[in-house]
Amino acid sequence: MARTITLRLSDEAYQAVKRHADADRQSMNAWIEGVLDVEDMRRRCGEHGRWLAEHPEAAAFAEAWADRNLDELTGR
């Protein structure tokens, strides 16, 4: 189920969002959703990077797996 969140922006922030959304030819809602999606991905990637740093054996396994996949793809 979708949730609705209301953002209260200062007049200055509202005008900035409107300017950016207009420049990208998007609605303000779509532009804000895009910004939030990017921020969510940035945070998830950061957490993933920290997890990999704490689990070097998993990182080495994943890297070796990826290398094998690339070798297989280049061999085709």
Side-chain angles (χ1 to χ4, degrees), residues 34-67:
V35 170
L36 293 175
D37 286 346
V38 168
E39 177 63 14
D40 181 57
M41 181 61 71
R42 185 191 68 75
R43 289 176 185 228
R44 287 174 184 253
C45 288
E47 287 297 318
H48 185 243
R50 279 187 283 284
W51 188 89
L52 287 172
E54 294 169 2
H55 300 89
E57 68 289 343
F61 176 82
E63 188 172 357
W65 186 292
D67 287 343

Side-chain angles (χ1 to χ4, degrees), residues 12 18 49 65:
E12 183 178 313
K18 184 169 176 26
W65 186 292

Side-chain angles (χ1 to χ4, degrees), residues 5-44:
I5 298 173
T6 301
L7 297 176
R8 301 216 185 269
L9 303 173
S10 67
D11 290 343
E12 183 178 313
Y14 179 88
Q15 289 303 322
V17 169
K18 184 169 176 26
R19 188 171 54 252
H20 289 292
D22 288 345
D24 288 346
R25 296 180 183 186
Q26 295 182 338
S27 71
M28 290 175 65
N29 287 342
W31 189 85
I32 289 172
E33 286 175 6
V35 170
L36 293 175
D37 286 346
V38 168
E39 177 63 14
D40 181 57
M41 181 61 71
R42 185 191 68 75
R43 289 176 185 228
R44 287 174 184 253

